Amino acid sequence: EKQLEHFREAMGVMQHHDAVTGTEKQLVAYDYARILYDGMQQGTNIAADAIRKWRSTGNSNFAPEQMHTCMQLNISTCLYTEDKDFVLAIYNPLSQKVVSPIRVPVQNGKYNVIDLADGNELTSQIVPIPNSVREIPGRKSTSTHELVFLASLPPLGYKTYTVKRSSENISPQV
Amino acid sequence: VTANSIGNEFYNVSVDEYGQVVVEWKKQKDMELTQSFHYYDAMEGNNEEFRNRSSGAYIFRPKNTSARNFVNSASYEVHTGPLVEEIHQCVTDWICQVIRVYSGMEYVEFDWLVGPIPVKDKIGKEVVTRYYSNLNSSGEFYTDSNGREMLKRKRNYRPTWNLELEEPISGNYYPVTSKISLKDDEKLLKLSLLTDRAEGGTSMRDGEIEMMIHRRLLKDDAFGVGEALNESAFGEGLVVRGSHYIIGGSIQNLDELAVKEKTLARQLLLRPWTFIQSIEKNSSAPTP
């Protein structure tokens, strides 16, 4: 409840007409960004707790302190996926099954995406991140490509996928 | 890849000699559109006079009624694969986009990147993208109302008084929270554009959807904020990245198209949440 309170307060503040339309002063805009970021971080903890409970196996691989979200995916940046193997837990907030494209920033190479529910490998694709994105002022990232795959997600549920880089097949970087 | 077009089961997308993106429907042979970027020079007025205010955070007042084009033809490259095909296009060194079609997905994604808008010429600029289709929309278009019902808009018209617009562009702009649509009642075709954020939009010509995607203005419009809409980051103007999703087809079976649009809108507005856990070296990954 206490963690959710941050998010509730942020949603309350963001209903001011200046926040909705973007007519706030610049310093206020920075403050709104701070409040939203704080709310999102707290929300991540709640969601991570929920997924950890769902994984009733008690698997310590999903301890809350080890779960992360990437708030800079809009500029194709994610510290946790750029140079490591990783597990993705993807939650579908819709009450219907969806097949959704998932895009994760990585370095050039060949990757295996495994659906942990059945152990099957999914078809995936590597697409270069355009130079225009890589050169955005202030973007700090070693990712040069995005790994794309289609996740088939149950309604109001989640699926987990492991992503591993098969180093023997790294193609030369242009 | 040397290809000059991308496609899936539903669309073929290419770039023409003028740098415009051309989208052709495969099932609906009589439907196509072109997409391009433009910008308006911002009005820099005298805020003491009511009819001569500057374009600013509160009001959109272009200096001229026609938007400027980009003279150089755009450069682009094509990337194809089993899941997604992409055209990476740059119109100038400050406007680029990725046009994307996924296998099996009935929409075209325009992932645009605009900024920093250059203002060394001391002129504020408001960047728009236009989707110009062959639909005869008869001066009418539809915009959503906070994601709820679609409201009919008619160019140069208000339902309760006789309108004489002194600002013909901004007087036809409406809020687009998530969707804007056109219909051709003769051909029975519909074109919709879904956004990933609230934007302003209009249809200044039959068959056309125009969306404003970025603004950088050097004067305050004197409506209260007391600052010009001139945000900077890292010593330069802001860079904005966002997406438009184009979907359309026949309205002979209106329910079918409506369901497709609703489903896409829900998937865009309530996207999956991705959580990441790093796998430490020398540890085994979780087993199924």
Side-chain angles (χ1 to χ4, degrees), chain A residues 26 61 68 87 103 127, chain B residues 86 225 231 273 275-277:
Chain A
Q26 189 62 50
N61 282 315
H68 312 282
V87 176
R103 302 180 74 94
V127 182
Chain B
E86 299 186 347
V225 71
E231 296 169 273
W273 307 350
F275 300 93
I276 299 141
Q277 178 202 354

Side-chain angles (χ1 to χ4, degrees), chain A residues 5-168:
Chain A
E5 205 62 40
H6 287 85
F7 207 68
R8 288 189 179 123
E9 285 173 9
M11 295 312 291
V13 170
M14 295 304 143
Q15 288 177 51
H16 186 266
H17 62 253
D18 279 348
V20 172
T21 57
T23 48
E24 74 278 22
K25 282 180 181 286
Q26 189 62 50
L27 283 174
V28 179
Y30 293 144
D31 198 42
Y32 285 165
R34 181 189 62 82
I35 292 168
L36 268 180
Y37 174 80
D38 192 34
M40 291 293 286
Q41 285 289 37
Q42 306 282 348
T44 299
N45 294 340
I46 298 169
D49 278 352
I51 288 182
R52 190 167 52 89
K53 277 186 187 172
W54 255 335
R55 292 173 61 95
S56 53
T57 55
N59 191 331
S60 62
N61 282 315
F62 269 90
E65 65 273 15
Q66 291 177 314
M67 278 185 77
H68 312 282
T69 54
C70 287
M71 294 207 208
Q72 293 190 319
L73 284 176
N74 63 332
I75 52 169
S76 305
T77 296
C78 181
L79 179 69
Y80 308 106
T81 62
E82 286 173 4
D83 57 359
K84 303 181 186 81
D85 296 340
F86 51 91
V87 176
L88 293 175
I90 304 172
Y91 173 73
N92 172 21
L94 286 172
S95 58
Q96 292 154 334
K97 181 185 171 188
V98 294
V99 177
S100 181
I102 304 294
R103 302 180 74 94
V104 191
V106 293
Q107 293 178 8
N108 194 11
K110 187 165 168 36
Y111 292 81
N112 297 322
V113 181
I114 309 286
D115 182 341
L116 281 180
D118 52 20
N120 289 336
E121 183 173 352
L122 272 65
T123 305
S124 61
Q125 186 181 335
I126 286 283
V127 182
I129 297 170
N131 284 340
S132 52
V133 174
R134 292 169 62 180
E135 291 163 6
I136 289 174
R139 180 179 181 271
K140 288 176 187 157
S141 174
T142 57
S143 59
T144 54
H145 289 67
E146 281 184 319
L147 174 69
V148 185
F149 66 94
L150 299 179
S152 180
L153 304 169
L156 297 170
Y158 78 102
K159 267 194 168 183
T160 45
Y161 302 89
T162 53
V163 178
K164 286 196 168 183
R165 182 171 173 163
S166 50
S167 53
E168 69 274 18

Side-chain angles (χ1 to χ4, degrees), chain A residues 23 25, chain B residues 53 58 220-227:
Chain A
T23 48
K25 282 180 181 286
Chain B
R53 285 176 182 254
Y58 290 90
D220 172 40
D221 57 15
F223 270 101
V225 71
E227 293 175 356

Side-chain angles (χ1 to χ4, degrees), chain B residues 39 94-95 114-120 123-127 213-217 230 236-240:
Chain B
Y39 67 93
W94 53 280
I95 298 183
V114 181
I117 296 176
V119 287
K120 279 188 181 159
I123 299 172
K125 294 173 188 67
E126 318 202 28
V127 181
I213 50 179
H214 194 11
R215 321 169 67 206
R216 189 177 187 190
L217 305 168
N230 182 16
E236 300 180 58
L238 282 193
V239 180
V240 182

